[in-house]
Amino acid sequence: MRAIKSVLLTCDPAVKEILIAMNERDNFIIEDLDDWHLVIKADEEFRVRRELEVELEKNTYSMEA
């Protein structure tokens, strides 16, 4: 049996909610530890971080004067 390599992600609760929503499309979360920590598949880390960046850009706004 092959062991799954994992990575601990630390993030704020708002980002964690985005990650949980992303996980519904592509299952990468191994364990939800608490409000600030998730364990994810190590081989998915780069893709997850890249997709999270895109999602955070969508949720960013600026007020123009």
Side-chain angles (χ1 to χ4, degrees), residues 40-53:
I40 68 165
K41 297 175 185 173
D43 60 349
E44 297 283 337
E45 181 183 12
F46 180 74
R47 181 187 63 79
V48 168
R49 288 183 185 273
R50 191 177 64 237
E51 286 184 25
L52 179 60
E53 246 180 66

Side-chain angles (χ1 to χ4, degrees), residues 6-38:
S6 61
V7 174
L8 176 67
L9 285 185
T10 302
C11 57
D12 65 45
V15 169
K16 184 179 168 203
E17 289 303 314
I18 294 171
L19 290 167
I20 289 171
M22 288 170 49
N23 187 64
E24 291 176 11
R25 291 189 313 264
D26 300 303
N27 189 19
F28 57 85
I29 294 176
I30 297 171
E31 191 167 352
D32 182 347
L33 299 176
D34 58 31
D35 288 344
W36 298 87
H37 300 95
L38 291 168

